[in-house]
């Protein structure tokens, strides 16, 4: 097992990873709330999770990773008020919350696959673990941390010493930040919901000792990490937005229940911005992987784009930036995959350089996942004379990068994204039913997205322009 150093948000320092039960590293990652498509910012956080898991495996560790799927309890306000995000989406689309969850989960896992993000060993759905959550809340109440109000069960943050230690805000700051709280029965404005009592019209509700209701968002992660990883585990990951509330509350719940520290290392991925600002629907700048693919970018070029910035730095997404990443990625892949057919062996100097660059890559990723530096070393490898050893080395290193650089590019480039194929099919159907107006609109749409269609008597040929 290699020595791996990782930045722990809790201590604000890089620490050597010392697994509780080596060689296995136990790890929990906050997963998506499946009420909508994952956007490229969300996916950046999962690329970071993947960088970590791949690095651990490459370093000789085994991973036991859990990722949750939040399909209940995440309210529109991100706090304790407002409608459940799943319920809002279900109403809007006239579907059940289960259908909404199934639909967006399946797209999410498809996105992970397209980005070569390895699926964690355990996927835990919140709605499959309600009984355990109720037990967790009951115990917190018995221990004196939970109390009941008219609308739910709340966690009394003043009872938990060390509330705010992750975000380094003290309890007074937390209280000041929450002054506007609506619920006057809370003992402290910053107390948070463990369990909410359901109104009659709430679509998702379960029987509990406090009547019908549903879990708070934070209790889901505390419960599922305990269930699958036990009362102590090695690493917890998520995006930086989770530090001040979600993860602070997870620490409070889990440590209050266990009576000791639960997570050894907290790791957080910085945010992705778009054009220097926040992503938001109203600005029309919330992109999905499908949006990028429809514009002709390959998902792996987006992965490269993410990996080229350290996970602890903000990453500003622009199409100019992505153009650059696509060009660089294609060039790197073309150059490296040229070795795929090389039958000659490396000369002595190439062998030496190759092992130097490989060592550089390992040193970079084992030092808090410095992928930008590691990619620099890959570029150096790409400039070596094409030979069998280069191919074999890059193929081996793909276990860390997941970029398929050793696979010749042509194959992928010819691939037409599914959504483009769907538009072409829709146009073909329109032509069959002689709806020429619709067919023209769809042809224009395809042209706008960079594709041309050539009609024949029996079908059509779709090409990238
Ligand atoms: P959610 O589905 O909202 O719970 O978010 C899923 C994951 O994406 C969480 O780990 C968030 O921290 C993360 N996330 C949300 N927005 C961004 C963003 N703009 N950049 C990076 N990560 C994000
Ligand atoms: Zn979580």
């Amino acid at each position: 097992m290699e020595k791996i150093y990782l930045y722990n948000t809790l201590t604000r320092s890089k620490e050597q990873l010392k697994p509780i039960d080596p060689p296995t590293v136990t790890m929990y990652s906050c997963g998506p709330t499946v009420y909508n498509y994952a956007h490229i910012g969300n996916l950046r956080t999962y690329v970071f999770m993947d960088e970590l898991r791949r690095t651990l495996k490459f370093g000789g560790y085994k991973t036991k990773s859990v990722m949750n799927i939040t399909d209940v309890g995440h309210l529109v306000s991100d706090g304790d008020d407002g409608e459940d995000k799943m319920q809002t989406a279900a109403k809007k689309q006239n579907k059940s919350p289960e259908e909404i969850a199934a639909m967006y989960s399946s797209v999410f896992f498809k996105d992970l696959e397209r980005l070569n993000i390895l699926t964690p060993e355990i996927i835990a759905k919140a709605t499959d673990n309600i009984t355990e959550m109720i037990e967790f809340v009951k115990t917190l109440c018995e221990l004196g941390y939970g109390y009941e109000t008219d609308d739910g069960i709340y966690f009394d943050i003043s009872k938990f010493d060390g509330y705010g230690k992750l975000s380094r805000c003290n309890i007074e700051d937390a209280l000041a930040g929450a002054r506007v709280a609506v619920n006057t029965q809370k003992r402290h404005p910053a107390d948070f919901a463990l369990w909410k009592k359901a109104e009659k019209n709430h679509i998702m509700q379960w029987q509990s000792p406090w009547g019908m209701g549903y879990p708070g968002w934070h209790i889901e992660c505390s419960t599922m990490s305990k269930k699958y990883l036990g009362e102590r585990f090695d690493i917890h990951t998520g995006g930086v937005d989770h530090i001040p509330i979600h993860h602070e509350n997870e620490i409070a719940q889990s440590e209050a229940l266990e009576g000791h520290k639960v997570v050894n290392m907290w790791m957080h991925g910085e945010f992705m911005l778009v054009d220097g600002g926040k992503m938001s629907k109203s600005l029309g700048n919330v992109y999905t992987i499908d949006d990028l693919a429809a514009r002709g970018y390959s998902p792996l070029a987006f992965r490269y784009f993410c990996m080229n910035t350290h996970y602890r730095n903000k990453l500003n997404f622009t199409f100019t930036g992505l153009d650059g990443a696509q060009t660089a990625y294609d060039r790197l892949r073309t150059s490296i995959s040229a070795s795929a057919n090389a039958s000659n062996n490396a000369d002595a100097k190439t062998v030496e350089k190759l092992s130097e660059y490989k060592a550089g890559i390992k040193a970079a990723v084992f030092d808090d996942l410095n992928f930008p530096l590691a990619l620099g070393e890959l570029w150096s490898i790409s400039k070596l004379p094409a030979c069998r050893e280069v191919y074999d080395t890059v193929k081996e290193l793909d276990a860390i990068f997941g970029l398929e650089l050793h696979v010749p590019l042509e194959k992928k480039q010819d691939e037409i994204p599914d959504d483009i194929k769907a538009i072409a099919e829709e146009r073909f159907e329109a032509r069959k039913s002689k709806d020429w107006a619709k067919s023209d609109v769809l042809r224009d749409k395809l042209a706008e997205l960079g594709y041309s269609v050539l009609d024949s008597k029996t079908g059509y040929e779709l090409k990238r322009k």
Side-chain angles (χ1 to χ4, degrees):
M1 280 171 290
E2 304 273 357
K3 275 190 182 166
I4 295 185
Y5 293 84
L6 301 169
Y7 184 85
N8 185 352
T9 310
L10 189 67
T11 57
R12 304 288 196 273
S13 61
K14 254 189 238 177
E15 291 170 11
Q16 190 187 334
L17 170 72
K18 297 207 169 114
I20 296 163
D21 185 17
T24 302
V25 176
T26 42
M27 174 172 153
Y28 186 93
S29 300
C30 286
T33 308
V34 283
Y35 70 106
N36 205 340
Y37 297 108
H39 58 59
I40 52 175
N42 301 136
L43 292 165
R44 179 193 187 196
T45 292
Y46 299 110
V47 169
F48 149 60
M49 172 191 82
D50 194 51
E51 287 177 351
L52 175 58
R53 296 187 65 241
R54 284 174 179 268
T55 298
L56 295 174
K57 286 176 205 272
F58 200 80
Y61 298 86
K62 283 191 180 149
T63 55
K64 182 176 179 192
S65 285
V66 179
M67 180 170 67
N68 65 293
I69 296 290
T70 297
D71 54 356
V72 63
H74 195 163
L75 306 187
V76 178
S77 68
D78 272 357
D80 297 330
D81 309 304
E83 199 169 40
D84 192 303
K85 291 186 179 193
M86 298 300 298
Q87 174 154 331
T88 311
K91 276 206 254 171
K92 230 190 226 160
Q93 300 185 37
N94 207 12
K95 292 198 159 86
S96 70
E98 292 76 18
E99 284 170 324
I100 293 285
M103 179 171 93
Y104 291 118
S105 299
S106 107
V107 178
F108 175 72
F109 285 111
K110 200 178 112 204
D111 283 347
L112 295 193
E113 206 179 309
R114 291 202 287 178
L115 290 169
N116 267 348
I117 295 173
L118 306 173
T119 313
E121 286 81 8
I122 299 164
I123 300 294
K125 237 167 66 177
T127 50
D128 287 340
N129 291 282
I130 302 288
T131 313
E132 290 85 345
M133 290 176 207
I134 292 173
E135 275 312 306
F136 203 119
V137 177
K138 254 170 68 182
T139 312
L140 285 179
C141 291
E142 284 157 19
L143 292 169
Y145 292 99
Y147 64 93
E148 187 168 359
T149 72
D150 286 349
D151 76 346
I153 309 299
Y154 285 82
F155 187 96
D156 184 341
I157 62 166
S158 70
K159 292 260 164 66
F160 178 69
D161 275 349
Y163 187 83
K165 63 183 167 187
L166 186 66
S167 49
R168 304 216 168 159
C169 83
N170 57 31
I171 204 159
E172 284 73 34
D173 295 337
L175 294 181
R179 285 279 124 99
V180 281
V182 242
N183 185 341
T184 49
Q185 290 184 332
K186 286 206 278 189
R187 290 184 191 160
H188 305 282
D191 289 353
F192 58 90
L194 296 165
W195 182 264
K196 293 280 303 232
K197 295 180 184 174
E199 311 262 329
K200 277 225 164 56
N201 60 358
H202 201 273
I203 317 182
M204 288 172 288
Q205 39 181 299
W206 291 263
Q207 188 63 55
S208 79
W210 318 282
M212 298 301 286
Y214 57 97
W217 172 36
H218 320 297
I219 200 72
E220 299 180 1
C221 290
S222 283
T223 306
M224 293 190 280
S225 58
K226 177 177 170 60
K227 173 168 169 182
Y228 294 104
L229 301 176
E231 61 180 57
R232 293 177 205 267
F233 59 96
D234 297 310
I235 305 176
H236 194 313
T237 74
V240 285
D241 56 326
H242 285 344
I243 299 173
I245 298 176
H246 185 50
H247 289 167
E248 204 69 80
N249 293 349
E250 263 192 70
I251 291 179
Q253 296 165 152
S254 300
E255 295 192 4
L257 186 102
E258 306 291 2
H260 57 68
K261 181 166 149 187
V262 172
V263 177
N264 280 344
M265 293 179 127
W266 285 89
M267 293 182 68
H268 293 95
E270 248 301 347
F271 252 37
M272 175 173 278
L273 307 173
V274 173
D275 296 325
K278 234 187 129 171
M279 262 181 257
S280 86
K281 280 227 171 84
S282 58
L283 293 172
N285 64 3
V286 182
Y287 302 110
T288 62
I289 283 297
D290 257 350
D291 293 333
L292 303 189
R295 285 168 154 86
Y297 298 101
S298 59
L300 291 185
F302 174 74
R303 180 180 171 96
Y304 178 93
F305 176 75
C306 292
M307 288 169 71
N308 213 10
T309 295
H310 191 265
Y311 77 93
R312 283 199 286 124
N313 290 334
K314 288 194 174 63
L315 171 56
N316 186 27
F317 177 88
T318 61
F319 278 104
T320 314
L322 188 59
D323 281 339
Q326 181 77 59
T327 307
Y329 173 71
D330 288 352
R331 207 174 284 162
L332 189 59
R333 184 156 164 180
T334 306
S335 153
I336 284 177
S337 62
S339 295
N341 300 319
S343 50
N344 57 312
N345 289 114
D347 54 37
K349 191 162 169 232
T350 304
V351 170
E352 191 192 319
K353 285 281 163 203
L354 203 50
S355 87
E356 187 187 308
Y357 298 145
K358 185 175 164 185
I361 288 173
K362 285 169 68 172
V365 297
F366 295 155
D367 180 15
D368 194 30
L369 316 179
N370 195 339
F371 275 78
L373 193 62
L375 285 176
E377 301 279 353
L378 257 188
W379 274 98
S380 301
I381 293 182
S382 78
K383 288 172 189 140
L384 292 171
C387 60
R388 201 66 220 162
E389 285 83 350
V390 164
Y391 176 79
D392 291 342
T393 306
V394 175
K395 194 171 171 198
E396 182 199 346
L397 290 171
D398 202 56
I400 314 181
F401 292 106
L403 287 169
E404 295 180 7
L405 292 169
H406 54 292
V407 182
L409 197 58
E410 300 76 54
K411 262 197 228 154
K412 286 259 164 176
Q413 244 179 5
D414 287 347
E415 253 175 38
I416 293 179
D418 286 347
D419 39 1
I420 298 289
K421 286 187 199 153
I423 301 173
E425 270 303 297
E426 197 184 340
R427 181 176 171 276
F428 183 56
E429 291 304 318
R431 278 180 65 79
K432 277 206 293 195
S433 51
K434 298 198 171 18
D435 185 347
W436 309 118
K438 184 173 178 188
S439 151
D440 284 348
V441 169
L442 293 173
R443 175 194 286 278
D444 290 346
K445 191 168 171 189
L446 286 169
E448 222 172 82
L449 294 168
Y451 293 84
S452 62
V453 250
L454 197 65
D455 293 313
S456 65
K457 275 195 183 134
T458 48
Y460 61 91
E461 195 187 347
L462 183 59
K463 271 195 180 155
R464 190 193 283 240
K465 285 202 286 194

